[in-house]
Amino acid sequence: MERVEGPTMLDDLGSHPWRVDRHARTLARLHRELHAIAAPEGLAAHPWPGDVVLHLDLHPANVILAPAGPVVIDWTNARRGGAGADLAEVWMIVAALGRDADPSGLADRLREAVVGRVEGRIRARLLAGFLDGDARDQAREALPTSAEVRLRDPHVSPAEAEAIRALVRQETGERLSPVGEVSGRRASSSGPGRRDGRPGRRSRCPCRRR
């Protein structure tokens, strides 16, 4: 396995917060390029239907800024599905920054370099640049289904779960119950073509192996 050298996008954002717009555009481009790839046979399906490759954890801590260009790491949760699910996943992760017991460690690492009101502005700018064009509409459409999957993750803290429910309520008008039901319907544990019937397991922190 080739070793990739360089800081993560998150590390660079912490050291150079004024680069947030550039990094947001890069993150959006990486998602577009990924979603242009047809999912291979045998890749387990996400409940949000589609036929492209999903990373489902493609946030700034999982992008290495290598000399030859950005490299995406930590493919543990890769699935087949619709692009909106990937976009919604990053939206939920960033929206929940600053909540206690953040499982990705993203908030703590960002806060080390960018604090207080500046942190909130950076978060807002990152999302604004990432969810550009029709990406926001795609993410909003997939948001309730993606939230159901994320809320079944035992590593999601109560505060993060509440932030996710608030985001879904604000963006879609739907209400998620504490057990992951949307508007009175029970969240399905499997989607079209799902092979194992279970959402991908998340690690407590992004993979740092390069």
Side-chain angles (χ1 to χ4, degrees):
M1 181 180 296
E2 181 183 358
R3 182 179 178 84
V4 180
E5 300 290 347
T8 66
M9 181 182 287
L10 179 63
D11 291 336
D12 191 71
L13 182 59
S15 301
H16 310 92
W18 54 89
R19 295 177 179 171
V20 60
D21 293 332
R22 179 200 307 177
H23 289 328
R25 290 192 296 269
T26 298
L27 196 63
R29 176 175 59 80
L30 290 172
H31 277 81
R32 287 194 300 270
E33 292 175 354
L34 175 62
H35 300 152
I37 302 173
E41 289 293 330
L43 188 62
H46 187 277
W48 189 248
D51 294 307
V52 301
V53 175
L54 306 179
H55 184 283
L56 296 177
D57 214 15
L58 213 176
H59 51 67
N62 281 336
V63 178
I64 296 178
L65 302 177
V71 176
V72 178
I73 61 173
D74 196 357
W75 291 84
T76 305
N77 299 324
R79 292 289 185 271
R80 169 171 53 85
D86 240 352
L87 303 173
E89 190 72 21
V90 175
W91 195 356
M92 289 186 290
I93 289 172
V94 176
L97 287 178
R99 311 292 173 167
D100 62 358
D102 171 32
S104 69
L106 210 56
D108 290 340
R109 292 166 57 198
L110 183 59
R111 193 177 297 110
E112 287 176 1
V114 187
V115 296
R117 291 175 298 174
V118 176
E119 179 188 323
R121 292 171 186 170
I122 293 296
R123 181 169 59 245
R125 289 278 288 274
L126 182 65
L127 281 175
F130 172 65
L131 296 172
D132 63 340
D134 64 353
R136 193 179 193 93
D137 291 335
Q138 291 183 61
R140 183 182 290 113
E141 188 177 5
L143 197 55
T145 298
S146 294
E148 290 175 1
V149 175
R150 188 161 182 80
L151 288 175
R152 292 198 297 270
D153 185 339
H155 297 137
V156 171
S157 72
E160 185 187 11
E162 182 52 39
I164 291 170
R165 294 188 191 98
L167 176 64
V168 173
R169 190 165 55 246
Q170 174 184 320
E171 294 294 331
T172 71
E174 298 194 52
R175 292 180 178 273
L176 291 170
S177 77
V179 293
E181 297 176 2
V182 181
S183 299
R185 63 178 174 83
R186 189 165 186 81
S188 171
S189 63
S190 62
R194 186 77 185 191
R195 297 178 183 273
D196 59 9
R198 295 178 292 107
R201 183 182 182 278
R202 296 182 188 284
S203 57
R204 286 187 175 274
C205 61
C207 175
R208 303 293 294 177
R209 291 176 296 178
R210 303 174 185 174

